[in-house]
Amino acid sequence: MWFFKKKRADHALQELVNGLTQALAAKLVSVILYGSRASGEFREESSDVNVFLVLEDLSSEIRQAMAPSIRAWLKAGHAMPVFLQKNELALYAKSLPIEFLDMQDHYKVLFGADVLEGLSIDRSNLRAQCRQELSIKEIKLRQAILLAGENSKRIRNVMLESLSSVLTLYRAVLRLEAEVPKGGKITAARELAERAGIDEDCLERLWNNHVRRETDNAQDLAHHYLAGIERVLVYLDRK
C-alpha cells in the first residue's frame, strides 16, 4: 500500500509539471519540490507534498491558465502549491526567512531554473517571525487542548497534528545562534532542547508516534509540550 501511495504522488507530481509547462510555456520559471519529501522525512500517513512555483508574472490570464492543473493536483489530495512572481522572490525571502531558509536546506528542482541557489535570505526578521508564529501556535494549542477536555485521543491528535510545524519553528530558533545540524527537524529540536531546557523526551515520543497506548497520560504530555513552547519563547527573549 505504501508503494502504491508513493507511486501515486510521483505520478501526480509529473502530471502537475506537465500540465503547467503546457499551459504556461515560457511564463513558468521554476517548479520546486521542498519540505519533507525533499528532506527524507516524508511520512505517507501525515506529510504533505510541498511544491513551490515561480512565474514570470501572475496576471489574471496566467492564473486562469494554471488553475486546471492546480485543481487536479488538489483533487489528488495534495497541498496547495505556493506560487510567486520571479520579481517577488527577494521581498518574500526577507519577510519569510523561516520558509526560505528551510527550502534552501532541502529542495529538488523539477522544472526550470534553480531560483533558490544563491538567493540571499535576509535574517533580520527571523527572530520576529519565530516569536510571532510560536506565540500564535501556543495560543491555538492551548485552545485546542482545552476543548479536547479529558479525551486522550483528541489531545494526542492535537499534538501530533501540530508537531511538524512546531519542530520547524524550533529549527528556525536554533538558526539564530547556531548552524542547523544535518538531519531531520528532530535533530535540530534535540539541540535546541539542550540549549533552552525543554523536555526532549516529550518531543521524541511524539516524533516516534509513541503516544497511542492507553496507559499514556496525554494530559501530562500536553503539559510538557506546551511548557516547551513557553520555554522557547522565554529563550528567544533572552537572545
Side-chain angles (χ1 to χ4, degrees):
M1 189 64 157
W2 178 87
F3 177 77
F4 177 68
K5 287 183 178 179
K6 181 179 178 183
K7 188 173 181 181
R8 279 184 58 196
D10 289 341
H11 181 69
L13 267 173
Q14 191 58 57
E15 285 192 336
L16 176 66
V17 173
N18 291 343
L20 290 173
T21 53
Q22 291 172 15
L24 303 176
K27 291 292 186 179
L28 182 63
V29 176
S30 186
V31 181
I32 291 175
L33 178 69
Y34 69 99
S36 60
R37 199 164 183 92
S39 69
E41 299 172 278
F42 187 78
R43 299 184 179 193
E44 287 288 340
E45 71 280 4
S46 58
S47 298
D48 289 329
V49 180
N50 303 112
V51 178
F52 180 44
L53 309 176
V54 181
L55 302 105
E56 286 292 348
D57 67 73
L58 279 170
S59 65
S60 60
E61 292 78 13
I62 293 299
R63 294 197 303 272
Q64 289 173 10
M66 64 191 287
S69 296
I70 300 297
R71 291 194 190 102
W73 171 254
L74 296 176
K75 189 175 180 180
H78 301 296
M80 183 70 177
V82 175
F83 50 92
L84 298 176
Q85 295 181 165
K86 186 178 179 180
N87 63 4
E88 295 175 327
L89 279 169
L91 174 65
Y92 278 91
K94 180 177 181 179
S95 58
L96 299 173
I98 293 175
E99 289 77 6
F100 278 87
L101 287 166
D102 281 353
M103 276 198 281
Q104 280 190 330
D105 277 350
H106 301 286
Y107 70 95
K108 179 181 179 182
V109 178
L110 302 179
F111 172 84
D114 186 349
V115 296
L116 295 177
E117 184 179 15
L119 179 65
S120 177
I121 312 296
D122 187 339
R123 298 192 181 207
S124 60
N125 293 326
L126 182 57
R127 184 184 307 279
Q129 190 187 5
C130 288
R131 168 155 267 296
Q132 180 186 44
E133 295 196 13
L134 262 179
S135 297
I136 292 170
K137 182 62 66 178
E138 180 183 42
I139 290 169
K140 289 185 176 180
L141 277 169
R142 285 173 176 171
Q143 293 169 333
I145 290 169
L146 182 148
L147 289 175
E150 297 182 2
N151 188 320
S152 295
K153 182 177 180 180
R154 286 180 63 185
I155 294 172
R156 287 194 291 267
N157 287 339
V158 165
M159 291 187 287
L160 290 170
E161 288 169 5
S162 69
L163 182 64
S164 179
S165 58
V166 168
L167 294 185
T168 293
L169 292 170
Y170 283 3
R171 179 170 58 191
V173 172
L174 184 62
R175 290 188 196 277
L176 290 166
E177 63 175 13
E179 288 296 318
V180 171
K182 295 298 181 183
K185 287 183 282 193
I186 191 63
T187 305
R190 291 186 190 112
E191 183 167 337
L192 181 65
E194 292 183 11
R195 293 170 180 262
I198 63 179
D199 188 342
E200 182 181 333
D201 180 65
C202 170
L203 297 177
E204 292 283 359
R205 289 178 66 195
L206 288 168
W207 179 253
N208 293 311
N209 208 5
H210 291 164
V211 291
R212 297 196 180 279
R213 296 170 300 181
E214 291 300 320
T215 55
D216 284 329
N217 188 328
Q219 290 181 329
D220 184 61
L221 195 64
H223 168 76
H224 287 286
Y225 189 47
L226 283 171
I229 297 175
E230 292 167 13
R231 282 182 176 270
V232 172
L233 286 168
V234 171
Y235 178 78
L236 262 175
D237 286 341
R238 294 201 307 260
K239 296 298 172 183

